[in-house]
């Protein structure tokens, strides 16, 4: 079981392939805040809802200085299909060997329909401009999470 990150920790750097097979690294976002969210699988109902919520609020988040990166164990081809099917604008990267998921504490035991299973723990880590963890949220809900995050980060739509 991987350790969960705490505010103030240095966010583990990563470089993973996006839906087009191009490398995306956390270091490439230095100077901007980054919301890194971890989800179990592309093209599933909850993950689709969450990715669409992030896409719908992407301009608002970008305006407040946040970039968004979604991480799942999926391969780039599946991510590309997900992006096209749902018209997603968030950056999606694949971590098939789960090394980044584990480094962020987003892979391990969880409850699923009352059973204990090992898998991706739906999580969101907010990283500041210097690469430090600002917040680490684990076992988040797919529905309503983005709205709560906007409220917690005090990101509001311009009046």
């Amino acid at each position: 079981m991987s350790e969960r990150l705490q505010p103030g920790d240095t966010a583990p750097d990563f470089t993973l392939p996006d839906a087009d097979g191009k490398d995306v690294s956390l270091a490439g976002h230095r100077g901007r805040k980054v919301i890194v969210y971890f989800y179990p699988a592309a093209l599933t109902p909850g993950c689709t809802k969450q990715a669409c919520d992030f896409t719908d609020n992407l301009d608002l988040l970008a305006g407040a200085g946040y970039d968004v990166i979604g991480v799942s164990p999926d391969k780039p081809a599946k991510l590309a299909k997900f992006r096209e099917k749902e018209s997603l604008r968030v950056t999606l990267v694949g971590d098939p060997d789960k090394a980044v998921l584990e480094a962020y504490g987003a892979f391990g035991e969880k409850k699923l329909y009352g059973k204990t299973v090992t898998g991706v723990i739906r999580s969101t880590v907010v990283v500041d401009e210097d690469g430090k963890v600002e917040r680490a949220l684990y076992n988040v809900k797919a529905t309503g999470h983005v709205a709560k995050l906007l409220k917690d980060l005090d990101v509001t739509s311009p009046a």
Side-chain angles (χ1 to χ4, degrees):
M1 178 97 172
S2 42
E3 283 294 309
R4 294 186 168 185
L5 297 176
Q6 301 295 324
D9 288 351
T10 297
D13 199 13
F14 60 82
T15 300
L16 293 170
D18 69 6
D20 299 314
K22 293 188 181 79
D23 282 348
V24 172
S25 72
L26 184 61
H29 291 266
R30 246 349 147 256
R32 297 215 12 115
K33 293 184 179 200
V34 186
I35 295 168
V36 185
Y37 80 95
F38 300 90
Y39 63 100
L43 301 166
T44 58
C47 299
T48 297
K49 172 78 179 114
Q50 189 177 21
C52 288
D53 281 354
F54 271 118
T55 291
D56 292 346
N57 289 287
L58 200 57
D59 293 338
L60 194 57
L61 287 161
Y66 291 93
D67 295 334
V68 179
I69 301 173
V71 182
S72 74
D74 299 308
K75 291 185 167 41
K78 186 173 180 188
L79 297 175
K81 191 172 168 187
F82 186 34
R83 181 183 64 195
E84 302 314 315
K85 182 175 186 280
E86 302 299 337
S87 303
L88 301 173
R89 293 187 303 128
V90 293
T91 300
L92 300 173
V93 297
D95 181 23
D97 65 8
K98 303 175 187 71
V100 175
L101 286 156
E102 288 187 6
Y104 276 78
F107 189 84
E109 283 189 358
K110 63 179 185 175
K111 291 266 190 237
L112 190 65
Y113 306 116
K115 288 188 168 61
T116 300
V117 298
T118 300
V120 176
I121 299 163
R122 192 180 302 277
S123 313
T124 300
V125 176
V126 179
V127 181
D128 72 13
E129 300 89 340
D130 299 318
K132 296 272 188 226
V133 174
E134 199 172 277
R135 331 174 159 241
L137 309 162
Y138 294 94
N139 294 308
V140 301
K141 300 276 181 251
T143 306
H145 174 60
V146 175
K148 182 180 181 328
L149 193 60
L150 290 170
K151 188 172 178 283
D152 290 351
L153 297 174
D154 203 21
V155 174
T156 52
S157 41

